[in-house]
Amino acid sequence: MSAPPADQTSRAPGAAFILKKALISAFVALVLFSLMIGVRTEAGPQGQLIYWTRFDDLAAMVAAVFVGSILMELLRQWWGPVDTVRVVPASVQSALSLVGRLVAPVLLVFTFLVPVLFYNERYILDLAILVLTYVMLGWGLNVVVGLAGLLDLGYVAFYAVGAYSYALLATNFGLSFWICLPLAGILAALWGVLLGFPVLRLRGDYLAIVTLAFGEIIRLVIINWQSLTGGPNGVTGIPRPTLFGIPLSPADDGLAALLGIEFSPTHRIVFLFYLILALALLTNWVTIRLRRLPIGRAWEALREDEVACRALGINTTTTKLTAFATGAMFGGFAGAFFATRQGFISPESFTFHESALVLAIVVLGGMGSQLGVALAALAMIGGFELFRGLDQYRMLVFGMAMVLLMIWRPRGLIGHRAPTVFLKRSQAISSDLVKEGHG
Amino acid sequence: MSGNQILSVDRLSMRFGGIVAVNDLSFDAERRKITALIGPNGAGKTTVFNCITGFYKPTSGGIRLTHDDGHAIRLERLNDFRIAKLAKVARTFQNIRLFPGMTALENLMVAQHNALMRASGLTFLGLIGAPSWRSAEQAAIDLARTWLDRIGLLDRADDAAGNLPYGDQRRLEIARAMCTQPALLCLDEPAAGLNARESAALSELLLSIRADQGTSILLIEHDMSVVMEISDHVVVMDHGLKIAEGTPRQIRDDPKVIAAYLGADEEEAIAVMESGT
C-alpha cells in the first residue's frame, strides 16, 4: 500500500471541487424535480385544472442531492480509484479462490435440497420455481447476448411462442407435455431463425430496436388473433404435467394412490421444481458443451471480431442464425414449462418488461458467465421479493442496488471469461480484453 | 509466363464513387513463390487485397485462383468467407485483427472452424462426445500446438491474445491464417511496427512457410529489407496503376520506381535506395 505521494495529492481534489460538483448536481435536481415534485396538478371536481406547490418537498429533495453528492465524493476519495490494486494477503486470496470454486457445487447441492428443506413452505417453493425459470431464461439468452454478442431485446417472444405452442397443442389436440416440450422448443427455434434473417445485417442499436419490435409483434399477434389464441382472454385449462403419463392428482390412478401415500398438492409443486431444475441444468449442460465445440467458439469469435471471422472462412450468417435458434429453443422450453405450471396464459405475461428483466439478469451476471447469470437471477428475482416489505419504495431501492452494483462491477458479477480449451492451465481472461460484441 | 500461376489478376479495376483506387491492374502470383506488392501510401495495394479476399467486389476485371489440381476458381464471384473456405485464401490485416478476449490457442482453434464443424457432425456428434469428434479435436489442438511452437509462443498458448506483445500478435495472426491450411496466404504489411530483429524473424518464418508448407504468399510491405530479402517477384503500384514488375534486383534499379517513391515520400525513397546498396 505504498502509493507515491504525487498520486495521493492528485487523488484528493480540494473542497472547491467537491462543492462545485455538489452544486451542479443540486441544480440538475432542481430543474428535474421542480415540475415533478414542486408543482402538483390534479383535475378538479368540475374538470378544471387545480394545482398547488410543494416547495418544501422540493427543497428537501435538492438538499438531499447536494449532501448526497458531497458524501459520494468523500467516499470516493476515501476508497481511492476503482482500479487501485489493493494488496490482499496470499492466504485470503487463496481462501477467496477456494470459495469461488465451491460456489457452484454448493449452490447446486442446495438447490437440489430446497424441496426437502422447505417442504412445508409453499411460498419459498413457488419462489424457487420462479427463480429457476429465470435462471433458465437467462442461460438461454446468454447464448445470444453473452456468447454471440447479439443484443436481443425481444427474447420474451420465444418464451411466448413456447408457452402458446404447448398451450394450444395440449388444449386442441390433447398432446401430452412430454411430446409438446420438444415441439415448443423446435417452434421457438424456428421463430428464432425467422427473426434472425431480417436482422442479420443489423448491428448494435439497430439490432436491439428490431428485436424489441419483434417481441412486441408476437405479443400483438397473440392479442389480435382471437380465433386461435383467445386474444386477451388467453388460454385456460392447460393440462398439468404428468410423471410420464401418471397424473399428480388425488384420482385413483394418480401418483399418490399408486405409491400408497396420502395425496398432497405439494407433490405437484415439488415435481414442477425438479422439472424446471432439470430443464435449466439441461440448458446449462448444452451451453457448456456448445462453448467447447466449433460452433460455440465461432459465436465467441463473432462477438470478438466479425471481419476476422469472415477472413477465416466462417459463415457468419449461419453462425448468427444458430445462436438465435439455440437461444430461442431454450426460451421455448421455458415457455412450455411456464404454461404447464400456470395452467393459464395470456399475452399479459409476455410484455417487454420480461425481456428487459432477463436481459438485466444476463448483463448483471456478467455476459457469458453461467454461474454469474444464475447468481444474478437469484439476486434479481429473490432480491426483489426480499424488498417486498418496502412497498412503494421497492423499485427505488432495487434500482439503486443495481446502479451501485454496476459501478462496483461494470462487467457484471462474474466478468472474466474462462477459456474453452487449454494446453497447460486454464487461466481466466480479464473482462478488459473480452469484447461485448456489436450485434 | 510459366503457366504455373496460383493467382492471376486480370484488368482489375475498383472505383469508389469518382475515385479510381485500382485502375486496370494485371499481375500474376506464381505457385510456391513469394510475391510482393509494394508502392507508396495510397497506391491502392490494400484495395487490391480486399478485392482478392472478397471484402470488396471489384468494379471490373477478373481474379482467377488455380489450385494444385488445376481447378480454377473465379474469386470476383465469391464473397469473403467463401473465398477463405472454398478457394483457400487466408489473409491478415494491416491493423491486427485477432480475437483479443480468446487465448492464443483458441484463436488457432477458431481458424480450423470449417474442418472441425465437419468433424463434429455439424455439432451433433460433438454434443454427444463421439470418439471421431474427440480425435479430430485432438488433431486440431496438435496442429495449433505445432504452429504455436513455430512462432515461439508455445509458452503463452493459454494467455489472452490481447495480452501478447505487438510482435507476437503479428506472428499469431499469421499462424492463425496458416491454421486454415490455405493455398494462398495474403499478408497486409506483416512487418509494420516490428523492430529489426522481429522483422528478420518474420522473414525467416515466411521463408519456412513457403519451403515447408508450399504455400504461395502474396504480401504488401513497406519494409524494403523484408521485401528485398524474401520476395521472388515484386509488383510496384502507384496511384492505382502497375508501374513496374520484376525480380527484387530489377525493381531496385528501376528509375520509375525510385521516382514514384521520391514523389510520394522521401523517407520511403531513401529506404528503397539504401536497401538497394
Side-chain angles (χ1 to χ4, degrees):
Chain A
M1 298 288 254
S2 59
D7 201 354
Q8 293 277 337
T9 49
S10 72
R11 192 194 291 167
F17 172 79
I18 297 175
L19 212 63
K20 189 176 146 202
K21 207 165 171 181
L23 275 174
I24 292 172
S25 304
F27 177 71
V28 172
L30 180 69
V31 172
L32 273 178
F33 293 135
S34 57
L35 289 177
M36 285 161 65
I37 295 176
V39 185
R40 172 89 180 153
T41 57
E42 241 171 52
Q46 272 85 47
Q48 84 281 28
L49 183 75
I50 53 171
Y51 69 92
W52 63 96
T53 54
R54 298 189 298 187
F55 289 134
D56 45 345
D57 288 353
L58 178 65
M61 205 65 196
V62 172
V65 170
F66 183 74
V67 174
S69 172
I70 291 178
L71 281 178
M72 280 285 278
E73 203 53 44
L74 288 175
L75 273 179
R76 199 176 283 171
Q77 285 186 18
W78 181 47
W79 278 333
V82 182
D83 55 354
T84 310
V85 180
R86 293 184 184 81
V87 180
V88 181
S91 58
V92 177
Q93 250 171 2
S94 67
L96 275 176
S97 77
L98 184 71
V99 168
R101 256 175 314 182
L102 284 179
V103 167
V106 166
L107 215 61
L108 187 63
V109 170
F110 177 74
T111 313
F112 265 103
L113 292 178
V114 161
V116 181
L117 296 172
F118 303 103
Y119 185 77
N120 291 321
E121 294 182 64
R122 173 80 192 258
Y123 170 72
I124 290 187
L125 284 181
D126 276 334
L127 183 61
I129 291 175
L130 192 67
V131 169
L132 281 175
T133 312
Y134 280 97
V135 168
M136 173 155 182
L137 285 171
W139 278 341
L141 185 61
N142 196 20
V143 172
V144 186
V145 178
L147 295 185
L150 304 162
L151 185 54
D152 185 353
L153 287 179
Y155 192 61
V156 75
F158 310 121
Y159 191 40
V161 168
Y164 271 87
S165 300
Y166 171 59
L168 295 175
L169 287 171
T171 51
N172 292 332
F173 302 107
L175 295 178
S176 90
F177 177 75
W178 296 102
I179 295 172
C180 290
L181 185 69
L183 284 179
I186 290 167
L187 280 169
L190 271 179
W191 282 99
V193 173
L194 217 61
L195 165 69
F197 270 114
V199 303
L200 279 171
R201 304 170 69 87
L202 304 175
R203 287 160 160 258
D205 306 346
Y206 304 97
L207 175 79
I209 291 167
V210 174
T211 52
L212 173 71
F214 184 77
E216 286 300 291
I217 288 170
I218 293 272
R219 194 173 62 86
L220 291 172
V221 166
I222 290 173
I223 290 179
N224 289 296
W225 196 351
Q226 293 238 4
S227 56
L228 180 75
T229 63
N233 301 327
V235 183
T236 51
I238 302 167
R240 300 297 190 174
T242 55
L243 186 67
F244 303 107
I246 307 167
L248 295 144
S249 66
D252 287 341
D253 59 347
L255 183 69
L258 286 178
L259 290 177
I261 53 173
E262 199 182 329
F263 174 77
S264 150
T266 316
H267 291 166
R268 204 188 70 233
I269 305 295
V270 171
F271 173 68
L272 284 172
F273 178 88
Y274 282 115
L275 177 62
I276 186 65
L277 181 60
L279 285 174
L281 288 179
L282 176 79
T283 309
N284 187 32
W285 180 81
V286 170
T287 310
I288 289 174
R289 282 304 280 250
L290 284 178
R291 266 196 79 207
R292 291 177 188 158
L293 288 171
I295 188 71
R297 278 197 207 107
W299 288 338
E300 292 201 78
L302 197 66
R303 178 192 65 201
E304 298 282 318
D305 194 329
E306 192 176 336
V307 172
C309 277
R310 290 211 300 273
L312 294 173
I314 295 173
N315 186 341
T316 49
T317 307
T318 51
T319 307
K320 281 185 187 176
L321 285 181
T322 49
F324 269 119
T326 311
M329 182 181 73
F330 293 132
F333 287 155
F337 172 81
F338 177 76
T340 191
R341 181 202 162 198
Q342 298 283 327
F344 162 75
I345 51 168
S346 76
E348 272 174 43
S349 307
F350 308 107
T351 55
F352 171 66
H353 176 252
E354 295 295 311
S355 292
L357 188 59
V358 179
L359 186 66
I361 287 173
V362 174
V363 173
L364 199 67
M367 294 201 285
S369 162
Q370 297 292 99
L371 178 62
V373 168
L375 289 175
L378 185 65
M380 292 278 290
I381 310 300
F384 203 59
E385 290 298 314
L386 271 186
F387 296 138
R388 199 171 269 286
L390 298 172
D391 297 328
Q392 51 184 325
Y393 300 107
R394 185 156 75 140
M395 273 310 221
L396 195 69
V397 172
F398 193 65
M400 247 156 72
M402 276 200 74
V403 169
L404 285 178
L405 195 68
M406 281 287 117
I407 291 174
W408 173 54
R409 282 255 150 135
R411 291 296 295 265
L413 287 171
I414 300 181
H416 58 75
R417 173 179 176 272
T420 57
V421 62
F422 58 92
L423 281 186
K424 292 190 192 72
R425 65 201 166 90
S426 174
Q427 47 190 10
I429 295 168
S430 150
S431 58
D432 305 336
L433 293 169
V434 182
K435 295 268 192 296
E436 286 126 339
H438 302 284
Chain B
M1 282 296 138
S2 61
N4 193 21
Q5 314 97 349
I6 181 154
L7 181 80
S8 70
V9 174
D10 183 29
R11 308 199 61 181
L12 179 77
S13 291
M14 182 76 212
R15 285 189 191 87
F16 297 101
I19 299 165
V20 183
V22 179
N23 192 2
D24 216 18
L25 177 81
S26 303
F27 72 91
D28 292 325
E30 275 189 73
R31 197 178 303 283
R32 292 193 183 81
K33 293 281 163 68
I34 296 177
T35 308
L37 193 58
I38 64 168
N41 288 328
K45 306 180 298 286
T46 299
T47 308
V48 173
F49 249 52
N50 283 338
C51 289
I52 292 170
T53 51
F55 281 81
Y56 293 156
K57 204 151 186 60
T59 314
S60 66
I63 306 163
R64 200 173 69 245
L65 184 107
T66 316
H67 279 166
D68 286 353
D69 55 9
H71 176 60
I73 297 173
R74 306 208 59 129
L75 298 186
E76 77 274 12
R77 291 184 186 165
L78 296 176
N79 56 9
D80 42 24
F81 82 87
R82 286 201 179 83
I83 286 179
K85 187 177 175 179
L86 305 174
K88 294 265 160 217
V89 177
R91 74 168 291 178
T92 64
F93 294 87
Q94 201 168 338
N95 38 359
I96 306 171
R97 279 183 171 271
L98 287 167
F99 305 119
M102 302 173 93
T103 65
L105 177 64
E106 280 180 307
N107 267 274
L108 301 190
M109 294 294 280
V110 172
Q112 302 176 57
H113 176 82
N114 287 318
L116 284 175
M117 267 315 257
R118 275 192 301 277
S120 70
L122 298 176
T123 305
F124 295 106
L125 282 178
L127 208 55
I128 57 170
S132 65
W133 155 249
R134 281 178 200 281
S135 58
E137 188 188 28
Q138 195 52 51
I141 293 174
D142 289 341
L143 179 66
R145 188 203 301 268
T146 313
W147 276 105
L148 285 168
D149 197 22
R150 276 183 77 167
I151 60 171
L153 284 180
L154 197 53
D155 290 340
R156 305 207 63 178
D158 301 323
D159 285 355
N163 260 346
L164 297 175
Y166 187 81
D168 289 351
Q169 293 197 12
R170 280 254 174 241
R171 287 205 307 284
L172 182 61
E173 203 189 13
I174 295 172
R176 188 180 68 178
M178 284 310 294
C179 276
T180 65
Q181 311 207 305
L184 176 67
L185 177 65
C186 300
L187 304 171
D188 197 345
E189 297 200 24
L194 300 187
N195 61 32
R197 196 173 48 81
E198 288 172 323
S199 291
L202 176 82
S203 301
E204 213 170 288
L205 175 68
L206 295 184
L207 287 172
S208 81
I209 285 174
R210 184 190 59 175
D212 302 346
Q213 265 68 37
T215 309
S216 316
I217 297 175
L218 178 66
L219 85 157
I220 294 178
E221 192 46 73
H222 278 297
D223 187 333
M224 287 304 150
S225 63
V226 173
V227 171
M228 294 299 156
E229 187 188 332
I230 67 172
S231 308
D232 300 300
H233 189 73
V234 181
V235 177
V236 190
M237 281 181 78
D238 191 23
H239 296 298
L241 290 162
K242 182 171 80 178
I243 58 167
E245 178 170 25
T247 62
R249 179 169 294 279
Q250 288 166 338
I251 292 302
R252 200 153 45 195
D253 304 329
D254 193 319
K256 269 192 292 184
V257 176
I258 295 169
Y261 271 88
L262 269 177
D265 188 347
E266 205 172 338
E267 273 178 17
E268 281 172 342
I270 291 165
V272 171
M273 288 187 289
E274 272 177 357
S275 56
T277 55

